Amino acid sequence: MTDEPYPWVRRTTERGKAYDAFREYLNQGPRRTVLATAEAVGITKDSAYELSKRHDWGARATAYDQHLASAATDGLASQMASARDDNLALADKLRGHLSDQLDGFIGGREDPTVRWSQALAAMVRLEEHAFRLKDDPKASAARDRVQQYLQRIEQANQT
């Protein structure tokens, strides 16, 4: 491997055509070959092998592939964290609204409406999916809150 931070960029010792050949090699993806690169850029296979050896194409391409894989993984992790946070914020907003409604039902000794129960189920599913995206120490506390709300529903239904 190479110690360069971005080994796939042009090196100071690489002339334009040598770097063009490397870029062709790099862009062929995981099934790249020096021979295919020689054919694509119109140089002899011996010249291509010499350039590959001199400029360490194999290690540079491996570093590039790893960089792309990491970037894709980091992007997905970021999207998942963002979705989790959005879902938790929505569930929190819904929880507050449902709590207010439940207090009204309990105070008036009324049964919660079907819509209220459906909204509670939706909130619980939102939280459940959000917690599955990432283990979070706050998850158990949130689950406890959900259990408390469910107990309050049962109490309201029993009166």
Side-chain angles (χ1 to χ4, degrees):
M1 285 308 247
T2 176
D3 291 332
E4 299 169 283
Y6 302 104
W8 52 88
V9 300
R10 184 175 174 181
R11 293 175 166 177
T12 56
T13 59
E14 245 173 341
R15 301 281 184 241
K17 290 188 181 209
Y19 185 66
D20 290 344
F22 171 66
R23 293 290 299 166
E24 173 61 33
Y25 177 77
L26 197 62
N27 290 331
Q28 289 176 10
R31 296 185 180 199
R32 60 181 65 92
T33 66
V34 174
L35 185 56
T37 301
E39 292 172 6
V41 298
I43 60 176
T44 68
K45 68 178 184 175
D46 290 338
S47 294
Y49 281 111
E50 174 58 33
L51 288 172
S52 171
K53 183 179 175 184
R54 183 181 328 144
H55 296 293
D56 204 14
W57 286 4
R60 292 168 72 194
T62 298
Y64 181 73
D65 292 343
Q66 290 173 346
H67 169 75
L68 290 181
S70 293
T73 302
D74 291 347
L76 180 59
S78 176
Q79 288 175 343
M80 290 176 70
S82 178
R84 180 200 66 231
D85 293 344
D86 290 347
N87 285 346
L88 287 173
L90 180 60
D92 195 45
K93 184 186 280 188
L94 184 55
R95 183 185 311 107
H97 176 72
L98 293 175
S99 180
D100 292 344
Q101 293 295 316
L102 182 59
D103 288 343
F105 290 130
I106 292 172
R109 297 197 171 279
E110 301 173 43
D111 288 336
T113 65
V114 171
R115 284 189 176 169
W116 185 92
S117 299
Q118 290 170 339
L120 177 67
M123 179 203 71
V124 170
R125 282 192 302 274
L126 273 171
E127 284 188 329
E128 179 183 16
H129 291 297
F131 292 132
R132 284 184 181 165
L133 289 176
K134 180 182 178 193
D135 290 333
D136 189 331
K138 297 178 185 176
S140 60
R143 287 188 189 114
D144 290 345
R145 286 195 309 271
V146 170
Q147 288 298 327
Q148 290 171 359
Y149 287 121
L150 291 173
Q151 288 172 355
R152 291 175 74 185
I153 291 170
E154 290 174 16
Q155 288 173 350
N157 287 333
Q158 291 173 0
T159 57

